Amino acid sequence: MKKIAFATHNNHKLEEIQSILKNMYHVMGLTELGITEEIPETADTLEGNAQMKADYLFDRLGIDCFADDTGLEVEALHGAPGVYSARYAGEHCSFSDNVEKILKELERIENRKAQFRTVICLILNGEKHFFEGIVTGELIKSSRGEKGFGYDPIFIPNGYSETFAEMPIDLKNEISHRGKATQKLIDFLAKFSGI
Ligand code: IMP
């Protein structure tokens, strides 16, 4: 079976994609690859970071690989926090610090439109391919729900009444930015492998 490397330590992300690609690829995460160092992600766009991480893996291993990067883009904040979503409230901040900061910034702002955007960079046979997934929605005024992570408790996707943190994880995965980008990657790999 063909091997493909995924620049993640997140077992949940890995299992999800491995279960879909199981007949086509053996997907190897950073733990299995023995890569323990932090992979640099210092670009100022999601595309740049996804590419930087994929390039790093390709340079190290020389095999097909992919990497993703995600951000929350808030319309009234001109797309912030975007690529800086993980560390919006500071270097070692928690998810709730980030949520608190964004709620404060939007305190007196009517426009609550926001979107999550994921970009995946795939390097296949030495060629780069990009896949994007977007989910649009609104940010509410205080957190609701215990599931998920990050900004999930304040984000309601358009067409729904629950936050990402209130809805079943399967439903979130089906409609989410990451779900959509991953589906595009999977469709591409399936077509490429002739399945
Ligand atoms: P990453 O690129 O997947 O590491 O995501 C960067 C940051 O974006 C995370 O640390 C979270 O703050 C936020 N984020 C990414 N995906 C989600 C999501 O599905 N829900 C809520 N926040 C997310």
Side-chain angles (χ1 to χ4, degrees):
M1 194 179 308
K2 279 191 219 158
K3 288 182 174 166
I4 193 161
F6 180 16
T8 190
H9 280 296
N10 182 327
N11 282 335
H12 180 73
K13 279 192 196 175
L14 191 63
E15 275 165 27
E16 200 176 278
I17 199 153
Q18 177 67 80
S19 73
I20 303 169
L21 288 173
K22 62 177 177 284
N23 297 321
M24 299 183 251
Y25 288 95
H26 172 57
V27 186
M28 294 178 298
L30 295 176
T31 311
E32 182 178 349
L33 291 161
I35 296 179
T36 49
E37 71 269 22
E38 193 92 350
I39 298 184
E41 41 181 321
T42 51
D44 56 7
T45 60
L46 298 175
E47 287 78 4
N49 269 346
Q51 179 168 331
M52 191 178 270
K53 290 188 271 185
D55 277 338
Y56 184 94
L57 270 194
F58 189 68
D59 289 347
R60 269 255 342 226
L61 307 165
I63 62 169
D64 295 336
C65 58
F66 62 94
D68 68 347
D69 203 36
T70 296
L72 175 70
E73 300 174 333
V74 181
E75 190 172 278
L77 302 176
H78 314 288
V83 71
Y84 306 108
S85 294
R87 273 147 282 154
Y88 193 43
E91 235 356 89
H92 301 290
C93 64
S94 65
F95 289 140
S96 59
D97 294 336
N98 285 333
V99 165
E100 236 170 77
K101 173 161 174 167
I102 219 155
L103 288 180
K104 196 144 198 359
E105 305 228 321
L106 293 176
E107 218 164 32
R108 284 181 196 82
I109 296 178
E110 288 281 301
N111 178 3
R112 315 288 298 188
K113 286 187 195 153
Q115 64 179 30
F116 280 111
R117 193 162 71 89
T118 293
V119 177
I120 296 175
C121 175
L122 165 72
I123 304 181
L124 194 69
N125 296 332
E127 270 180 34
K128 280 183 194 142
H129 306 268
F130 289 86
F131 306 93
E132 182 185 66
I134 291 176
V135 58
T136 56
E138 305 239 321
L139 297 179
I140 54 172
K141 300 214 156 156
S142 57
S143 293
R144 275 176 21 200
E146 305 296 328
K147 300 190 193 79
F149 67 101
Y151 301 90
D152 281 348
I154 54 168
F155 182 84
I156 298 187
N158 287 337
Y160 295 83
S161 54
E162 294 170 304
T163 67
F164 265 170
E166 289 175 312
M167 64 177 53
I169 186 75
D170 288 352
L171 176 58
K172 180 191 164 190
N173 286 338
E174 206 179 298
I175 63 174
S176 81
H177 44 300
R178 194 174 302 99
K180 287 177 183 168
T182 305
Q183 197 52 54
K184 287 184 189 172
L185 168 76
I186 288 163
D187 290 349
F188 181 87
L189 288 173
K191 214 158 156 195
F192 187 83
S193 309
I195 294 172

